[in-house]
Amino acid sequence: MKKVSLILSLFIILVACKKEDPRLTYDIEVIKTESLALCDEGLCPEIAIDKVTMGGGAFADTINTAVEKHLIDLLIMDPDEAKNVNSLDEALQNFVQNYRVYRSDFPDAIPEYEVSSTSSISFDNGKLLCIAFDDYTYYGGAHGYGSTFYLNFDKDLQQVLTPEMLFKDLEGFKRLAEKRFRSQYQIQPEEDLSETGYFFTEDTFTLPQNIGFRNDQLILLYNPYEIASYADGQLILNFDLAEVKDYLKSNP
């Protein structure tokens, strides 16, 4: 009987080991104009992408898919073209083709099209993984557009987290964030946000599209045009994790 129990225990351990997910590995893939084969065929815009690439099973695939989706969105100039682009390679080809049409129509144009993106792991505590992107695009016009983008992942659930999924008390955190916003930008509690030059729908404070983590802080980041003019640049609120742990679903 003891022999049977020992064999059963060993079997359970072996099965558990087989089910254990491979350890995530991390690398950076560099994509530049001069390294693209399609740029050997003719004119090409300026492209400089440092792309986080993960290895280690299904969760790594989930991360890589989300990273590529962001870069595809960055390269697509016309939303109507998005339905015909299903991979990063196709997005690069589409971007190059649009540039060549632009240069054909305006051969004397001096400004070049440009896309650059640098991504890195900004936070990883074993439970939560955050990837930060510093992006810049220029498609012609008065100026380019610089922005920051965050992707958050739950390492236990092995999925992308929307901003709403980060919080167990979202409304409570919104109240804390609005109080910090008003204090940081010198807006009195009784003042309407719309009267201070910020673009909040129906004068109601909202969290930014990008919430990330870096250096044991939670970061709220409004990119240019999100709630203010381009000249105002990024508006950023920082919270120590100890300050917001009671609002989060899992304590980073």
Side-chain angles (χ1 to χ4, degrees), residues 37-109:
L38 73 159
C39 288
D40 294 336
E41 305 166 5
L43 290 173
C44 263
E46 295 182 30
I47 299 170
I49 297 174
D50 291 345
K51 179 170 76 77
V52 165
T53 302
M54 308 297 289
F59 184 36
D61 293 340
T62 297
I63 296 172
N64 292 335
T65 297
V67 168
E68 291 213 356
K69 173 65 168 57
H70 170 66
L71 294 176
I72 289 170
D73 291 343
L74 194 67
L75 287 159
I76 295 297
M77 299 169 56
D78 183 352
D80 291 336
E81 296 176 345
K83 59 181 179 296
N84 299 318
V85 177
N86 300 305
S87 69
L88 182 55
D89 284 342
E90 291 180 0
L92 288 165
Q93 292 172 4
N94 184 75
F95 182 62
V96 169
Q97 182 58 36
N98 280 331
Y99 170 72
R100 288 174 179 169
V101 170
Y102 160 73
R103 289 303 301 268
S104 176
D105 292 341
F106 304 99
D108 297 326

Side-chain angles (χ1 to χ4, degrees), residues 82-141:
K83 59 181 179 296
N84 299 318
V85 177
N86 300 305
S87 69
L88 182 55
D89 284 342
E90 291 180 0
L92 288 165
Q93 292 172 4
N94 184 75
F95 182 62
V96 169
Q97 182 58 36
N98 280 331
Y99 170 72
R100 288 174 179 169
V101 170
Y102 160 73
R103 289 303 301 268
S104 176
D105 292 341
F106 304 99
D108 297 326
I110 295 176
E112 301 284 346
Y113 280 9
E114 181 179 350
V115 166
S116 64
S117 177
T118 301
S119 53
S120 61
I121 294 177
S122 63
F123 187 85
D124 183 3
N125 69 343
K127 294 181 180 179
L128 180 69
L129 173 71
C130 179
I131 297 178
F133 299 80
D134 291 316
D135 302 323
Y136 177 81
T137 56
Y138 179 75
Y139 305 144

Side-chain angles (χ1 to χ4, degrees), residues 212-244:
F213 298 84
R214 188 191 299 270
N215 298 329
D216 292 327
Q217 290 189 322
L218 181 149
I219 301 168
L220 301 184
L221 189 147
Y222 298 89
N223 279 309
Y225 295 129
E226 190 172 346
I227 60 166
S229 68
Y230 178 83
D232 288 317
Q234 294 181 334
L235 305 181
I236 302 172
L237 305 178
N238 296 310
F239 298 83
D240 291 337
L241 290 180
E243 181 183 5
V244 298

